[in-house]
Amino acid sequence: MFWPMFAVAVGFLGLAVLAVFAVKVFVEARRLGRQVTDSAHRISLAAEELERATESAARAVDTL
């Protein structure tokens, strides 16, 4: 009777460890998603700034 109970306990422990790792992966995936969103926003702002600078430079060249 000891071995079946031991097997059930080890199986439960294995599932608990997998659950902990699953939660860690989920949390890190959400964090990565937030970082990607922030990076995309910053890239978009930089692109807009570059576009404004290009237009300003083009106007300066036209006035020469």
Side-chain angles (χ1 to χ4, degrees), residues 4-62:
M5 293 174 73
F6 180 73
V8 169
V10 169
F12 179 74
L13 182 63
L15 286 176
V17 168
L18 287 176
V20 167
F21 285 137
V23 169
K24 283 185 175 186
V25 167
F26 177 74
V27 168
E28 290 300 318
R30 285 182 55 104
R31 191 179 70 134
L32 178 62
R34 280 195 305 269
Q35 287 178 348
V36 168
T37 302
D38 292 343
S39 296
H41 181 67
R42 288 192 312 216
I43 288 171
S44 147
L45 291 176
E48 290 173 4
E49 184 178 336
L50 182 61
E51 194 172 325
R52 284 193 300 270
T54 304
E55 290 172 359
S56 173
R59 272 184 267 137
V61 169
D62 285 340

